[in-house]
Amino acid sequence: MKFYIESLHLWLAKGQRRTLTFLPNKVNIITGDSHTGKTAILEIVDYCLFASEHGISESIINESVLWYGLRIQVNGKSYMLARRSPAGKTVSPDYYFSAVGEVPSEPAANIQEGSLKKLLSADFGIDQDVKIPFGGDVLRAGSRVSLRYFLLFNTISQDIITHSDQFFDKQDKARYREALPRIFDIAVGIDTVENILKREKQAELERRLNRLNKLSTKTLEKREEFHSQLIETVTQAKAYGLVPEELDAGESLDALQRMVTEQQGPSDSQVTTRHDAISAELYGISRKIRGLKRFSAEYAGHKNILSETADSLKPVDYLLANYEETVRTSVFEEIVKNLSDGLSQIKKATAKMTPLDGNVAELVKSLEADRQKLQGELEALPSEADSFENNKEKYIFVGETKAKLELFVDSEKGETSDYSSEIATLEGQIADLTIPPASDRQEQFTRILDETIQEYITLTKVALGNYGDYRSAFSYSEKKPHLRKPKTSQVENVGSSSNHMFLHLFLFLGLHDVIMRNEGIHVAPFLIIDQLSRPYWGDDGVRREINQSDTTKVKLALRLLDQFITSTMDMGKEFQIILFEHINPPYWEGLENVHLVEIFRDGNALIPGGTRE
């Protein structure tokens, strides 16, 4: 982005016009005594750029001015914008604008603030329709991204230049304090508006997905509850004889639907008949199972007895095999023959036996399954038929059943189907969002910024005293620089307002360097600094000479600014610095990129004849 302030204009009540002219690629210095209007220039620039409140001094300055204006160069275009002076503390809504940079002899309101802000925001690459996706105590989610938030990178006021903890202006105002961390990544090129909006879209989709998953889970729970209630309703309907008792759950549902339509059903006697039939069938199956188990046990015992008997007759085989060696009596042969015949019969009997064990076990298993099924059906039936005391009770029951069917069958099935489709769609949309992680870019930015600031530390080493050899340690979370002791992770609590002043310069010059290298389009390449010599000149505004050591530090600070302009031009970029000071021209002798705008001394001031800020 290209931007610089070409000139500042004040239309005075006495009919005069006061003009200050600035140059690009220069350190533009306005120096002079206190109470001559230097600091008011920063307030005037802020006021012209849509401030909703102002800090312009009423005495001498505001009471003497009718309009304040800036002629600016933006991306090769000349714009002239002016704003009517505030009435006391109330800012004016009146703006003058020229798209060709025409400076009027006397401005007249010709544009609304919203239109002018939108026009200028477009040059800063800021879409006024883009919303901040995350809110806070003051900024609500959905607030527009404002051009003014990015101006936080363009000023170092005298109130903060020596502050030990605060590095950005307007941090005493809640909306700017909340805005800084929200627009920081966009400003320095870590992230883009597109990616931030994508992340917000992803978060929104994930919230919707989570909500739908919860609804889907609830629906499934309701369906399970419905099945439980359905069984109870079917059981009750069967008890009243409204649904045939032999029907299963699915068939019973169809019967219930027909019942609520026709409002009639089978006779009450069918309930008891079916209950008795199932009970009888269960009794028969149970008898069969008991008989089979008893048979199986007796059969196993019989086989054991035969086996034991066969074992006891085995000596007969031995006697027959050794017949010649035995001592025989008159009855020996008859006894042996009878025992041998008995053994042969046992062997034949056991040989013909079939393995019944497996068959009986399978049969018992089948009967057990039948019994379990009948038991479940029996539990779903009342033991005896109920009856309605009158038709009114019957109609009430039918109406309640109809309502349940409509609620749990039609609507629930429809909702479940819709949730599944929506969940799949949301999961697909989330998967399609390609968003690079910001954390990697944040770490890379911090490293580059530290490297850049380290060069500034080296350049101004003498002015930093004991901290001259320390290392830059920018804190991304705090958005402020620190100095780290070499070869340690120890961050030092830097003392003295002089060191704090240099840290402010390091941070802002480093930020702009990185922004320009990243081709940033949201932050204008200019910086207004109010009194970098403040640590040495004092707060009382009394003009006096400072010691040699402090003089060296001021010169090093000016040299740093001058070197930054040179480095910017070497990059092929443009940058403008506007500096308000008390010091005299000898402090910047020999610097190539310094432009003296005016010296406010000896009666010369921002307002001719005025000597108060």
Side-chain angles (χ1 to χ4, degrees), residues 191-207:
D191 215 345
T192 64
V193 172
E194 180 185 6
N195 285 340
I196 288 177
L197 295 180
K198 276 185 178 181
R199 288 191 189 93
E200 177 61 17
K201 180 66 174 177
Q202 184 183 52
E204 178 191 350
L205 292 174
E206 288 174 347
R207 286 193 296 270

Side-chain angles (χ1 to χ4, degrees), residues 365-383:
K365 184 177 180 181
S366 176
L367 289 172
E368 290 280 10
D370 292 341
R371 184 168 67 174
Q372 187 175 1
K373 181 179 179 182
L374 288 171
Q375 189 66 42
E377 188 175 351
L378 183 64
E379 290 174 356
L381 288 173
S383 58

Side-chain angles (χ1 to χ4, degrees), residues 352-368:
K352 291 179 180 180
M353 285 184 179
T354 57
L356 296 176
D357 305 63
N359 294 335
V360 172
E362 288 296 325
L363 185 57
V364 169
K365 184 177 180 181
S366 176
L367 289 172
E368 290 280 10

Side-chain angles (χ1 to χ4, degrees), residues 72-210:
I72 58 177
Q73 293 285 329
V74 186
N75 297 327
K77 297 173 287 187
S78 292
Y79 292 154
M80 179 66 213
L81 56 117
R83 189 177 188 182
R84 191 184 301 274
S85 63
K89 291 295 182 180
T90 304
V91 298
S92 174
D94 296 338
Y95 287 85
Y96 165 84
F97 176 71
S98 170
V100 294
E102 179 182 354
V103 181
S105 57
E106 184 176 342
N110 63 358
I111 191 171
Q112 296 293 320
E113 181 181 280
S115 300
L116 179 55
K117 187 183 291 186
K118 189 170 185 177
L119 186 150
L120 199 56
S121 294
D123 286 302
F124 279 70
I126 302 168
D127 184 347
Q128 283 286 286
D129 295 326
V130 171
K131 309 290 184 65
I132 296 176
F134 23 71
D137 294 335
V138 176
L139 292 179
R140 293 177 298 176
S143 300
R144 285 184 172 86
V145 175
S146 173
L147 162 68
R148 289 190 54 77
Y149 296 151
F150 295 96
L151 294 176
L152 291 172
F153 293 81
N154 298 115
T155 62
I156 307 177
S157 70
Q158 64 174 344
D159 293 333
I160 68 163
I161 196 165
T162 58
H163 203 291
S164 62
D165 189 58
Q166 188 172 313
F167 282 79
F168 289 87
D169 277 318
K170 297 185 172 68
Q171 295 306 289
D172 57 330
K173 297 178 175 62
R175 65 181 181 276
Y176 288 100
R177 189 167 57 249
E178 288 185 8
L180 179 60
R182 286 158 172 73
I183 58 95
F184 187 87
D185 284 6
I186 305 173
V188 301
I190 290 175
D191 215 345
T192 64
V193 172
E194 180 185 6
N195 285 340
I196 288 177
L197 295 180
K198 276 185 178 181
R199 288 191 189 93
E200 177 61 17
K201 180 66 174 177
Q202 184 183 52
E204 178 191 350
L205 292 174
E206 288 174 347
R207 286 193 296 270
R208 288 171 55 191
L209 179 61
N210 185 50

Side-chain angles (χ1 to χ4, degrees), residues 385-523:
D386 295 333
S387 62
F388 297 107
E389 291 185 4
N390 50 53
N391 283 336
K392 181 180 178 181
E393 288 189 1
K394 179 177 179 179
Y395 293 141
I396 291 174
F397 175 78
V398 171
E400 290 176 349
T401 303
K402 181 180 180 181
K404 288 180 182 179
L405 289 172
E406 289 177 351
L407 175 64
F408 292 112
V409 177
D410 297 332
S411 64
E412 289 296 320
K413 286 183 178 178
E415 286 182 11
T416 302
S417 175
D418 289 344
Y419 290 154
S420 300
S421 175
E422 286 185 55
I423 287 172
T425 300
L426 288 174
E427 288 175 340
Q429 290 175 348
I430 292 172
D432 289 340
L433 286 173
T434 304
I435 311 170
S439 57
D440 293 344
R441 297 271 293 171
Q442 289 166 358
E443 292 177 4
Q444 183 183 28
F445 162 80
T446 300
R447 288 196 301 270
I448 294 173
L449 181 60
D450 279 334
E451 290 176 7
T452 305
I453 291 177
Q454 195 62 48
E455 293 178 2
Y456 304 152
I457 293 174
T458 301
L459 183 65
T460 58
K461 179 178 179 179
V462 174
L464 297 176
N466 295 334
Y467 303 109
D469 292 322
Y470 276 52
R471 299 290 179 263
S472 173
F474 176 74
S475 170
Y476 174 82
S477 60
E478 296 177 296
K479 305 293 184 292
K480 68 179 187 180
H482 293 284
L483 293 179
R484 175 177 57 82
K485 192 173 183 178
K487 298 181 181 180
T488 72
S489 59
Q490 178 183 341
V491 174
E492 194 75 22
N493 291 320
V494 176
S496 89
S497 58
S498 173
N499 290 330
H500 294 144
M501 180 273 290
F502 274 101
L503 285 177
H504 281 75
L505 295 183
F506 294 164
L507 175 62
F508 276 80
L509 296 181
L511 287 174
H512 279 284
D513 184 279
V514 176
I515 289 169
M516 287 186 287
R517 292 182 188 276
N518 288 341
E519 303 295 337
I521 59 173
H522 304 303
V523 177

